[in-house]
Amino acid sequence: MFEQDYVMRMIEGIAKMLGQLVFHKQADAVQLFDQHGNVTEEGLLLQRLKDMLACGQVNEAENLLFSWLEESRDPGMLPVAIEFYRTLAGMNEAELAACDYTHEEIAEGLQAVQKMFEEA
């Protein structure tokens, strides 16, 4: 439980820092719809990632996320990454273990996202 709390605090800290770094403000929630009511690219990606998580495809979902991040380097994808890792951090050890994943890997993924956006 302590480890999960630590990861959640880490997520919030990195989200705040990245939001300030990239957007000069706190990171916003993922915008699901644009001003015309169309589903956004970010919203579609987040839904796909969450669907994969629901099927236990954690590693595959993380690979998809990093593929998008590396390809686009779009700061608009940052809230997607943050929400992805928040969702993972909300899973307990048994759920993560069933998906061959750990809270340590969540922290590593967040650090990789942080490094990617600091370099951009």
Side-chain angles (χ1 to χ4, degrees), residues 52-66:
M52 293 174 80
L53 292 180
C55 294
Q57 299 172 326
V58 175
N59 290 299
E60 296 86 345
E62 186 176 46
N63 291 342
L64 176 63
L65 173 65
F66 274 93

Side-chain angles (χ1 to χ4, degrees), residues 20-73:
Q20 290 170 344
L21 178 71
V22 176
F23 299 112
H24 305 292
K25 63 179 183 175
Q26 190 166 357
D28 294 325
V30 176
Q31 296 298 312
L32 300 178
F33 301 98
D34 65 14
Q35 65 272 19
H36 304 292
N38 299 317
V39 177
T40 64
E41 185 175 45
E42 296 87 352
L44 286 173
L45 175 59
L46 181 59
Q47 186 58 52
R48 184 168 177 198
L49 294 171
K50 286 186 174 189
D51 289 346
M52 293 174 80
L53 292 180
C55 294
Q57 299 172 326
V58 175
N59 290 299
E60 296 86 345
E62 186 176 46
N63 291 342
L64 176 63
L65 173 65
F66 274 93
S67 174
W68 275 72
L69 293 175
E70 289 171 0
E71 183 178 313
S72 72
R73 298 285 178 156

